Amino acid sequence: VAGAKGADDGGTGGAEVAAAAIADAAAVAVVAPESDAPTDRFPYLPPFAAIPDADRLANLALEGKPTVAGVASVMYRFLHAQHDWNARMHGNKSIKPEEVLGAFGDLVSEILVPFDAVYQGGPIFPIRDDDSIFVSLASYRDYLLGETMRELFGRAKHPERLYVGAVVQNCFGNEYQCRTGVEVVGKDKQGRPQTKVSDAPPDKNGVEEFCEDDKYKHFCESGQVRALYVNETESVGPAMARYFASKLWGGESFFMQVDSHLQFVEEWDRLYVEEVKATKAYPKAVLSTYPPGFGGLGKGESRGSRLCSCEFSHSDVEEKIIRIGLGGSYRNDPPRPTQIPFIAAGFFFARGEFLVDVPFDPYLPWCFMGEEIALSMRAWTSGWDIYAPRKNYIAHQYRPGRMGLPKFWESVGRQFGRPGPTFSNRIQKKVIQRVKNLVGYLDMTKEFIESEGDGKVLSELENYGIGKSRTRDEYLKFANIDMVKQSCGQIGWCSRSELE
């Protein structure tokens, strides 16, 4: 959906322009796939193209009769409502963080939770046993999305088995002037960085780049690319984008979540399937790591890194949330992958059943830190063992602030007339209470959160919280996390690669 109108933009209101753009966009004709994947389609181009018969398909999905297009229609139903609210609130400098969060939570409860409830305890689609892979790609104004998709398909051994769910969060330039991220343009007399934000052209659409490439467009035409478009003004952080991406899954055997700025080794798909099947806990096994940076794959692969450490953040913005970290790499060549206690949100690989046991939480908007410890604990307590792959088969572009790339919190600040990260951080401070309550922070009890007037942040936590196979206390002991001292101890078994 198109975003809210800039305060100095003039002309027709944002909601009306968005509605007209959606109504006028033409659907794209596609060819039926040869696989037994769900055969319904919805347009991957142009952005915001209308899904034919969207209301009927959405209602059928809410009745337990899903199609990929129907599920996407439910997601767009939410995004349309969010856009309409944003258009009314745009530039409202008096609105409070709790009001923004409350309105968002009300839409989640009204539209997304009823959908999730229909499929609670089972997959939305039957899970195929054909080694197909669904790749979740949440992209925020990313100039490398198209190249990442080319690498993903171009270096796969079985590209015919790949399905991408891309959530493209861009500035499309439909209703207001696009802006750059905060760019460092020099230093002042004291040697401090000087920054500026400038006008910019509309963002590159990586799906368009990929799907209009003669070498790759047949993957789009065969239904292997599912794209959900979100204007940057409706972008509320990576956790929510990954929720949307997970809803584009169509019954594929495996689910892989990655960032949208990656490089791949040859036959990466075969290698990850073989690696997860080599774990002792398969099929309830998750592969995860922090991939090396660009250039870190050496001659095609490198020794796998292990997530064996954590710390309670010292940043005022991050509210002492637990941040996970590396604890070295494999020191030898074990016969099979060995366990770690943490999942990285930027790369994990598991069977499709993971989405049944650990459904993505739609109540984590504006949350940048905290999603990884919550995901790790939820997965492990749901009976999933976590493993580090023995080799790295992807590389990640790590992005220091000096690159000046756009950040989602900049959009949040502009949306509510308060440029900069402060307003987004104030919202995140409230949302992060949900994570801290789930993880077991002693000062974040339900009673305390409710006494602060923030009880709504705990909505539906019983359905998006701790699993039932193992307990929270067992996980904290497993990961050597002391909630009383708020400290992370050494995890010897992890560093020594002892646990299969």
Side-chain angles (χ1 to χ4, degrees), residues 156-454:
K157 180 175 178 60
H158 295 290
E160 73 279 2
R161 298 177 186 171
L162 300 182
Y163 294 80
V164 166
V167 177
V168 184
Q169 304 166 103
N170 272 5
C171 177
F172 297 94
N174 293 335
E175 302 179 70
Y176 59 92
Q177 175 63 53
C178 298
R179 303 281 277 169
T180 65
V182 178
E183 301 172 303
V184 177
V185 295
K187 294 184 178 180
D188 63 16
K189 293 180 180 180
Q190 287 73 41
R192 294 172 298 197
Q194 290 182 312
T195 62
K196 72 172 183 177
V197 176
S198 308
D199 289 349
D203 297 323
K204 292 167 60 175
N205 181 357
V207 169
E208 183 176 20
E209 289 182 335
F210 179 81
C211 291
E212 292 187 351
D213 187 323
D214 288 341
K215 184 177 179 180
Y216 298 104
K217 65 181 181 181
H218 63 284
F219 294 114
C220 304
E221 293 168 350
S222 67
Q224 290 176 249
V225 173
R226 306 162 188 155
L228 197 71
Y229 291 97
V230 182
N231 198 283
E232 62 155 333
T233 51
E234 274 74 70
S235 301
V236 291
M240 198 66 206
R242 287 167 179 147
Y243 171 89
F244 290 132
S246 75
K247 300 309 180 187
L248 300 178
W249 173 82
E252 288 74 33
S253 305
F254 295 98
F255 177 89
M256 182 171 83
Q257 178 170 287
V258 291
D259 288 336
S260 55
H261 30 274
L262 299 177
Q263 296 171 337
F264 295 77
V265 304
E266 293 291 339
E267 299 191 8
W268 64 269
D269 53 333
R270 174 185 64 82
L271 293 166
Y272 277 132
V273 169
E274 290 177 355
E275 188 74 350
V276 75
K277 288 183 176 181
T279 62
K280 192 172 182 179
Y282 183 79
K284 294 201 75 169
V286 184
L287 298 177
S288 191
T289 189
Y290 286 151
F294 279 8
L297 290 174
K299 295 182 180 180
E301 58 186 49
S302 59
R303 197 177 293 275
S305 299
R306 301 177 55 77
L307 303 175
C308 292
S309 67
C310 69
E311 67 172 355
F312 285 73
S313 176
H314 301 294
S315 165
D316 292 337
V317 173
E318 295 172 6
E319 296 290 317
K320 296 183 179 180
I321 199 63
I322 297 171
R323 299 191 64 172
I324 67 177
L326 294 173
S329 302
Y330 278 100
R331 300 173 184 174
N332 48 34
D333 296 309
R336 57 167 56 101
T338 55
Q339 289 190 46
I340 56 176
F342 303 117
I343 294 177
F347 167 72
F348 74 85
F349 189 100
R351 285 279 309 180
E353 288 85 354
F354 185 90
L355 297 174
V356 177
D357 293 344
V358 194
F360 279 76
D361 185 354
Y363 286 99
L364 290 178
W366 296 284
C367 186
F368 190 71
M369 293 300 173
E371 87 176 297
E372 292 183 325
I373 186 60
L375 183 63
S376 302
M377 182 177 282
R378 291 183 62 210
W380 194 86
T381 59
S382 296
W384 290 78
D385 288 337
I386 310 163
Y387 292 84
R390 291 168 291 179
K391 301 287 184 182
N392 291 310
Y393 303 127
I394 60 174
H396 178 276
Q397 185 193 52
Y398 291 96
R399 298 177 157 186
R402 64 178 178 272
M403 290 183 70
L405 299 176
K407 306 291 192 297
F408 83 89
W409 51 80
E410 297 165 352
S411 298
V412 177
R414 286 194 291 269
Q415 163 65 21
F416 296 106
R418 281 162 275 194
T422 301
F423 191 69
S424 180
N425 290 342
R426 289 173 63 194
I427 303 174
Q428 178 181 252
K429 183 176 181 178
K430 292 186 175 294
V431 177
I432 213 166
Q433 295 176 106
R434 181 179 181 87
V435 176
K436 295 174 82 171
N437 175 269
L438 181 149
V439 173
Y441 282 68
L442 301 185
D443 58 344
M444 280 296 156
T445 63
K446 178 182 178 182
E447 292 73 21
F448 172 79
I449 294 171
E450 289 177 343
S451 73
E452 293 291 298
D454 294 327

Side-chain angles (χ1 to χ4, degrees), residues 15-137:
E16 289 82 4
V17 174
I22 292 169
D24 292 344
V28 177
V30 292
V31 180
E34 296 180 0
S35 75
D36 56 355
T39 56
D40 67 296
R41 306 297 171 76
F42 65 99
Y44 52 86
L45 285 173
F48 310 116
I51 297 176
D53 212 10
D55 280 343
R56 185 182 69 86
L57 292 174
N59 292 335
L60 286 172
L62 288 164
E63 295 171 4
K65 302 170 185 176
T67 57
V68 172
V71 176
S73 297
V74 175
M75 299 303 109
Y76 270 130
R77 185 176 285 181
F78 174 87
L79 288 166
H80 293 169
Q82 184 194 1
H83 168 75
D84 289 346
W85 187 85
N86 275 356
R88 294 194 302 272
M89 295 296 110
H90 182 72
N92 184 344
K93 296 181 180 181
S94 64
I95 196 166
K96 298 177 181 179
E98 55 268 27
E99 294 174 310
V100 175
L101 189 58
F104 187 91
D106 288 344
L107 289 178
V108 170
S109 299
E110 176 187 345
I111 299 172
L112 300 181
V113 169
F115 171 80
D116 284 351
V118 172
Y119 301 98
Q120 186 175 359
I124 296 176
F125 300 100
I127 299 175
R128 308 196 298 279
D129 193 20
D130 56 3
D131 283 351
S132 54
I133 301 173
F134 174 85
V135 184
S136 163
L137 279 176

